[in-house]
């Protein structure tokens, strides 16, 4: 009997350990489902602890900070962006960090990435590591970066090219599953895009040949001017018509020939109709259609991962209930699921909603379908509950609370805001023709004091009516209160420095702006109070919700744009750094003798690639395509004709591909708010808002056979029995 007691104790301890392991596995699977993560990772107790630590908010925040830091180094490294201006005429010599400073920061970041890769590799296992192209690429990028870092130190930071700077955006890409999805969709859409780009190239070539044949006029006539300026040779003709495709040089390119003979306008009009209005819009339609199709496939895979995670949690908990002699049948006990949900890291509001539904079904076992439906709550945007207002005993205070908590009190506040803005606009128009030293701001100063005092009284009265927790639970109130505090501090500072307004009162400017100007500038932000009336207007509410949905879903698109900007900026620095030099050098003509519309005559000196910040701004100006022919011409003259390849590639990637993808996302967000009958969807609190679920109506639910087949092939999972 004495010998059997240790055996029973060990058996109970083993059963308890198995029970805890099952609970931990279910917690991990549910968290994977909520975050659309793959469940193909190690599931032993030690690995699951490491897995949860890796996906904790603290570690992910640290990893995000390391990514930001390694990307930000481009602003500090030689050539440094720490100058007041990028204009080559006025720019002072920048401060460049000593050799080893940024390299020390960079190696710490690389060690952080090496730790990240090591943890990921251990968790997925070697077989899965070999199958993952992203993890293999991660390893290659780290090895190349470390080798390039050692080369930099061996050459005392005098190396002509830092290859690892081009690889840094990869760390941003590999850390975002949605960015990987978008990148895959872009890659899948490239063949269809290439077909239209080929048509555009053919269109350009045909009209280039026609233009060179048409504009061969004799000296001093319109056709000769056309040839000398825009159709001098094949490369110049192609460039001119490519720019016309974006309408940046219209009608300048047409004027010389059109001035001579109006019939030449037909050539340019037909070219624009076919290229800009037909082929470019056809490209937009194809990109939208293909992108939507491939994005749908990617989102379908995300839904499968979500369903697989919840089904894996169900299988673990159901086997545990069966092994412990639970109720007859197959299913999950409500108390087991409640125990698991308490450990799940998720939104407290969504988790509480699921737990309430589980408690309502405390009798019997939860089936697989019921288990899946419970977690649909995590797809919804639940209405936030506001704290109850304070209860006052005095009838007078209750009446005052009702009065100041009524919506009409907000309408009164909006009326004062409108009066404030009208007064600012009236005085701005009135003082536009008066010199600053001759203005009298006495009346406006008095009005400003009155409005700020009203805003302060409004905040205090709302706090009285709603209570401080209730007041702070409304984002609009937080904005109003913060703006009121800033205005109050600035107004008190203004009165302390310039005294109370009086006839002839004009605060003098000290520095960039006077305190008085700062008050008026901040006061204009009060216009955002009018945004709160949007939900009451049905059509405007759809537009506003589309914009909000777009902002929420812009992280992946914004990240890809950051990657593209970063790579092109680094390449531009290596190609064109120091090409543009200040006037006075023989390589650049002074403004007085520069041709009209040229880089020099337009004072574009600040648009260069001499440092990272200047390169980003230059790329932005080219992406907008207004006057981008000026950049093509300038860098052709000072770098060579090959520079056009760089700018044309940037135009294709940024203006043609990325802008059209952005347009596709806008269309999806807007069409999602509009049902098939043309009526507006209700903007209820349980509306689905995530980009992963924009296609919910057309997604196919995975079958039970597909889920179970995938679970049976899990490389690390052994269901608890």
């Amino acid at each position: 009997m004495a010998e059997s007691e240790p055996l029973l104790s060990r058996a109970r301890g083993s059963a308890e350990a198995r029970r805890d392991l099952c609970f931990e596995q279910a917690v991990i699977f549910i968290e994977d489902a909520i975050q659309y993560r793959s469940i193909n990772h190690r599931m032993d107790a030690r690995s699951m602890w490491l897995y949860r630590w890796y996906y904790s908010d603290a570690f992910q925040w640290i990893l995000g900070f390391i990514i930001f830091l390694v990307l930000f180094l481009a602003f500090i490294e030689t050539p440094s962006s720490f100058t007041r201006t990028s204009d080559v005429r006025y720019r002072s010599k920048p401060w460049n960090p000593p050799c080893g400073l940024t390299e020390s920061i960079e190696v710490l970041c690389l060690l952080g990435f090496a730790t990240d890769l090591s943890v990921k590799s251990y968790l997925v296992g070697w077989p899965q590591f070999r199958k993952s192209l992203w993890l293999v690429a991660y390893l290659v990028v780290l090895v190349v970066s470390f080798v390039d870092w050692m080369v930099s130190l061996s050459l005392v930071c005098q190396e002509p090219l830092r290859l690892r700077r081009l690889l840094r955006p990869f760390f941003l890409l590999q850390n975002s599953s949605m960015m990987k999805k978008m990148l895959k969709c872009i890659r899948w859409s490239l063949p269809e895009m290439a077909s239209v780009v080929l048509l555009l190239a053919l269109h350009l070539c045909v009209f280039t040949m026609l233009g060179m044949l048409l504009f061969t006029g004799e000296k001093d006539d319109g056709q000769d001017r056309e040839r000398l300026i825009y159709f001098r040779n094949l490369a110049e003709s192609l460039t001119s018509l490519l720019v016309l495709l974006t309408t940046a040089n219209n009608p300048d390119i047409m004027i010389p020939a059109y001035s001579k003979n109006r019939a030449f306008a037909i050539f340019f009009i037909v070219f624009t109709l076919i290229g800009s209005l037909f082929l470019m819009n056809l490209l937009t339609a194809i990109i939208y259609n293909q992108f939507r199709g491939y994005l749908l496939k990617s989102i379908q895979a995300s839904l499968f991962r979500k369903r697989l995670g919840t089904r894996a949690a169900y299988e673990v908990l159901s086997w545990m209930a069966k092994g412990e002699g639970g109720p007859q049948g197959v299913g999950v006990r409500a108390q087991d699921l409640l125990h698991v949900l308490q450990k799940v890291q998720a939104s407290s509001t969504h988790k509480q909603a699921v737990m309430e539904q589980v408690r309502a079904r405390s009798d019997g076992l939860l089936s697989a379908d019921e288990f899946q439906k419970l977690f649909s709550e995590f797809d919804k945007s639940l209405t936030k509950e506001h704290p109850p207002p304070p209860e006052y005993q005095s009838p007078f205070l209750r009446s005052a609370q009702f009065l100041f908590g009524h919506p009409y009190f907000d309408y009164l506040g909006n009326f004062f805001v409108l009066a404030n803005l009208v007064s600012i606009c009236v005085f701005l128009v009135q003082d536009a023709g008066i010199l600053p030293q001759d203005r009298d701001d006495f009346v406006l100063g008095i009005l400003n004091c009155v409005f700020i005092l009203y805003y302060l009284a409004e905040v205090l009265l709302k706090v009285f009516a709603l209570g401080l927790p209730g007041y702070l639970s409304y984002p609009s109130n937080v904005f109003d209160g913060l703006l009121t505090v800033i205005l109050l501090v600035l107004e008190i500072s203004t009165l302390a420095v310039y005294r109370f307004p009086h006839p002839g009162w004009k605060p003098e400017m000290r520095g960039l702006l006077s305190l008085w100007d700062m008050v008026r500038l901040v006061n204009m932000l009060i216009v955002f109070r009018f945004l709160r009336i949007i939900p009451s207007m049905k059509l405007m509410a759809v537009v506003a919700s589309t914009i909000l949905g777009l902002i929420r879903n812009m992280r992946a698109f914004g990240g890809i744009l950051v990657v593209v900007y970063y790579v092109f900026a680094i390449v531009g620095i290596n190609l064109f750094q120091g090409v543009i030099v200040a006037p006075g050098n023989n390589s650049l003509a002074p403004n007085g003798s520069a041709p009209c519309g040229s880089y020099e005559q337009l004072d574009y000196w600040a648009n260069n690639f001499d440092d990272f910040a200047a390169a980003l701004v230059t790329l932005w100006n080219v992406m907008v395509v207004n006057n981008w022919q000026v950049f093509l011409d300038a860098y052709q003259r000072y770098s060579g004709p090959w520079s056009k390849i760089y700018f044309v590639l940037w135009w294709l990637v940024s203006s043609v591909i990325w802008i059209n993808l952005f347009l596709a996302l806008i269309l999806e967000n807007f069409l999602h708010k509009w049902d098939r009958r043309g009526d507006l969807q209700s903007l209820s609190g349980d509306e689905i808002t995530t980009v992963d679920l924009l296609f919910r109506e057309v997604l196919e639910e995975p079958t039970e056979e597909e889920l179970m087949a995938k679970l049976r092939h899990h490389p690390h999972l052994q269901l608890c029995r």
Side-chain angles (χ1 to χ4, degrees):
M1 187 71 178
E3 294 179 356
S4 64
E5 289 182 359
L7 293 175
L8 291 173
S9 178
R10 284 196 295 270
R12 282 195 296 268
S14 176
E16 192 67 28
R18 287 173 54 208
R19 177 184 173 85
D20 292 340
L21 179 63
C22 289
F23 278 138
E24 287 299 320
Q25 287 180 345
V27 169
I28 294 294
F29 284 139
I30 290 175
E31 290 178 350
D32 286 343
I34 293 172
Q35 300 297 330
Y36 300 93
R37 294 195 296 251
S38 171
I39 65 170
N40 294 327
H41 50 78
R42 297 180 188 270
M43 297 304 299
D44 58 278
R46 182 180 176 184
S47 298
M48 286 191 296
W49 176 86
L50 181 62
Y51 185 81
R52 294 197 80 193
W53 172 79
Y54 176 80
Y55 281 107
S56 64
D57 292 338
F59 185 84
Q60 292 300 309
W61 186 90
I62 293 171
L63 184 60
F65 176 75
I66 292 174
I67 294 172
F68 167 79
L69 188 60
V70 78
L71 293 175
F72 186 76
L73 287 177
F75 292 96
I76 306 173
E77 294 170 328
T78 306
S80 169
S81 300
F82 290 161
T83 54
R84 185 180 61 87
T85 177
S86 61
D87 194 314
V88 295
R89 297 170 298 178
Y90 314 120
R91 183 181 59 206
S92 58
K93 187 176 181 181
W95 171 85
N96 289 317
C99 183
L101 177 61
T102 57
E103 285 73 17
S104 300
I105 299 174
E106 186 175 17
V107 76
L108 292 176
C109 295
L110 292 177
L111 290 174
F113 293 132
T115 303
D116 176 53
L117 177 62
S118 302
V119 173
K120 281 184 176 178
S121 305
Y122 169 76
L123 290 174
V124 301
W126 175 245
Q128 292 294 318
F129 178 87
R130 288 182 301 174
K131 295 178 183 177
S132 175
L133 294 178
W134 280 101
L135 290 179
V136 173
Y138 200 175
L139 177 62
V140 172
V141 168
L142 275 177
V143 170
V144 172
S145 298
F146 273 114
V147 171
D148 192 58
W149 178 83
M150 289 186 286
V151 170
S152 293
L153 289 186
S154 64
L155 296 177
V156 200
C157 307
Q158 298 298 319
E159 73 279 15
L161 174 66
R162 294 187 181 185
L163 183 61
R164 63 186 184 277
R165 296 180 75 182
L166 287 171
L167 301 178
R168 286 174 187 167
F170 176 84
F171 301 126
L172 178 63
L173 278 175
Q174 63 83 30
N175 195 50
S176 170
S177 60
M178 197 62 200
M179 285 178 62
K180 293 176 185 176
K181 266 192 208 113
M182 295 291 181
L183 204 62
K184 186 182 293 186
C185 293
I186 293 171
R187 179 172 60 84
W188 284 340
S189 303
L190 282 178
E192 286 74 16
M193 297 182 200
S195 62
V196 183
V197 171
L198 185 61
L199 282 176
L200 279 172
L202 182 62
H203 172 66
L204 277 172
C205 290
V206 169
F207 274 83
T208 297
M209 300 302 178
L210 289 176
M212 295 182 70
L213 290 172
L214 279 175
F215 306 116
T216 58
E218 300 177 0
K219 222 166 177 53
D220 296 330
D221 67 2
Q223 291 127 293
D224 195 63
R225 285 180 55 220
E226 188 78 49
R227 180 182 65 81
L228 292 176
I229 299 175
Y230 299 108
F231 292 90
R232 186 167 55 251
N233 50 51
L234 181 62
E236 200 69 36
S237 303
L238 272 173
T239 303
S240 299
L241 291 181
L242 179 64
V243 174
L244 181 59
L245 201 62
T246 65
T247 68
N249 60 353
N250 185 68
D252 298 353
I253 187 174
M254 182 178 68
I255 291 302
Y258 179 63
S259 299
K260 184 69 177 179
N261 191 322
R262 68 176 73 241
F264 283 119
I266 299 173
F267 171 83
F268 298 100
I269 292 173
V270 171
F271 174 84
T272 304
L273 281 174
I274 297 175
S276 300
L277 301 183
F278 178 70
L279 290 179
M280 292 298 289
N281 288 320
L282 178 63
L283 180 63
T284 300
I286 288 178
I287 289 177
Y288 170 69
N289 185 59
Q290 296 299 326
F291 176 77
R292 187 182 189 277
Y294 291 124
L295 184 59
L296 177 61
K297 292 180 183 178
S298 184
I299 300 305
Q300 183 72 55
S302 294
L303 178 65
F304 184 83
R305 285 198 297 270
K306 181 181 180 68
R307 296 293 183 255
L308 185 63
T310 52
R311 186 53 187 257
Y314 171 81
E315 291 296 323
V316 168
L317 294 176
S318 64
W319 275 112
M320 187 177 68
K322 186 176 181 181
E324 293 180 356
Q328 294 298 319
V330 178
V332 174
R333 292 178 299 196
Q335 59 267 30
D336 290 341
L337 181 54
L338 287 173
H339 182 74
V340 168
L341 287 172
Q342 290 174 353
K343 295 184 177 182
V344 170
Q345 295 179 355
S347 166
S348 59
T349 306
H350 290 99
K351 191 162 68 172
Q352 189 63 32
V354 175
M355 292 176 72
E356 288 177 1
Q357 293 191 26
V358 174
R359 291 190 187 100
R361 306 178 185 181
S362 56
D363 298 333
L365 297 174
L366 293 169
S367 66
D369 289 338
E370 291 174 331
F371 193 89
Q372 287 279 16
K373 290 177 182 177
L374 283 173
F375 292 94
S376 63
E377 292 293 327
F378 286 96
D379 298 336
K380 298 176 181 178
S381 178
L382 300 179
T383 304
K384 182 179 179 181
E385 294 185 2
H386 301 284
E391 296 182 2
Y392 297 107
Q393 301 300 324
S394 169
F396 173 77
L397 293 179
R398 287 200 298 268
S399 300
Q401 182 183 29
F402 172 79
L403 178 64
F404 299 125
H406 199 277
Y408 285 159
F409 188 63
D410 282 336
Y411 298 156
L412 179 63
N414 290 337
F415 174 77
F416 270 87
V417 169
L418 181 61
N420 189 1
L421 294 175
V422 169
S423 66
I424 293 175
C425 293
V426 167
F427 280 96
L428 282 176
V429 173
Q430 179 180 327
D431 295 341
I434 305 175
L435 294 176
Q437 60 270 21
D438 297 332
R439 294 174 187 169
D440 187 351
D441 287 329
F442 167 61
V443 177
L444 189 57
I446 294 294
L447 288 175
N448 208 62
C449 290
V450 171
F451 286 123
I452 292 175
L453 288 175
Y454 174 80
Y455 298 148
L456 179 61
E458 183 187 37
V459 169
L460 296 177
L461 291 173
K462 281 190 175 182
V463 170
F464 160 78
L466 303 174
L468 185 60
Y471 179 85
L472 295 177
S473 65
Y474 293 90
S476 58
N477 287 343
V478 174
F479 173 78
D480 294 345
L482 181 61
L483 194 59
T484 300
V485 170
I486 295 174
L487 286 171
L488 185 63
V489 171
L490 288 173
E491 184 67 18
I492 293 174
S493 303
T494 301
L495 296 179
V497 174
Y498 303 115
R499 296 183 300 164
F500 197 78
H502 55 273
W505 187 70
K506 172 57 187 173
E508 61 182 358
M509 182 176 294
R510 298 177 182 179
L512 184 63
L513 287 173
S514 69
L515 283 170
W516 170 238
D517 292 325
M518 290 177 66
V519 170
R520 295 201 296 174
L521 194 61
V522 175
N523 216 344
M524 288 299 296
L525 297 178
I526 208 76
V527 72
F528 289 106
R529 282 187 52 147
F530 288 109
L531 295 179
R532 68 187 63 179
I533 68 174
I534 288 177
S536 61
M537 303 179 183
K538 203 172 185 182
L539 287 172
M540 192 178 291
V542 173
V543 176
S545 59
T546 302
I547 294 173
L548 290 177
L550 187 64
I551 293 173
R552 293 190 193 103
N553 303 327
M554 269 300 295
R555 291 177 58 186
F557 273 87
I560 291 176
L561 187 62
V562 168
V563 169
V564 173
Y565 259 92
Y566 201 99
V567 170
F568 270 86
I570 295 298
V571 172
I573 290 172
N574 285 284
L575 292 177
F576 306 119
Q577 183 186 355
V579 166
I580 304 298
V581 294
N585 188 292
N586 291 332
S587 62
L588 288 176
N591 287 1
S593 58
C596 183
S598 66
Y599 181 94
E600 299 84 3
Q601 189 269 333
L602 293 172
D603 282 338
Y604 277 12
W605 305 102
N607 292 294
N608 54 65
F609 290 89
D610 291 351
D611 58 70
F612 188 72
L616 293 178
V617 176
T618 303
L619 290 174
W620 170 263
N621 291 332
V622 176
M623 187 180 82
V624 177
V625 300
N626 184 43
N627 267 3
W628 73 298
Q629 72 275 11
V630 176
F631 298 94
L632 290 172
D633 173 70
Y635 283 92
Q636 176 193 359
R637 287 186 282 119
Y638 306 129
S639 297
W642 53 267
S643 63
K644 290 182 179 179
I645 300 175
Y646 172 85
F647 289 102
V648 171
L649 282 176
W650 171 245
W651 168 72
L652 283 173
V653 171
S654 61
S655 295
V656 176
I657 296 178
W658 190 88
I659 294 296
N660 281 309
L661 290 175
F662 182 63
L663 179 61
L665 183 61
I666 291 177
L667 288 173
E668 276 305 324
N669 273 274
F670 184 76
L671 293 176
H672 180 65
K673 305 293 181 184
W674 211 279
D675 67 9
R676 297 176 182 176
R677 296 166 303 177
D679 298 327
L680 300 179
Q681 290 184 350
S682 62
L683 302 174
S684 57
D686 60 352
E687 182 188 1
I688 294 174
T689 57
T690 57
V691 69
D692 295 322
L693 300 172
L694 280 177
F695 303 98
R696 168 53 59 89
E697 294 181 358
V698 293
L699 291 179
E700 296 180 3
E701 286 288 336
T703 63
E704 184 175 354
E705 291 75 16
E706 292 173 333
L707 295 175
M708 294 307 298
K710 193 71 175 179
L711 278 178
R712 282 192 287 269
H713 291 87
H714 193 287
H716 305 289
L717 177 65
Q718 292 181 352
L719 293 176
C720 302
R721 299 178 184 272

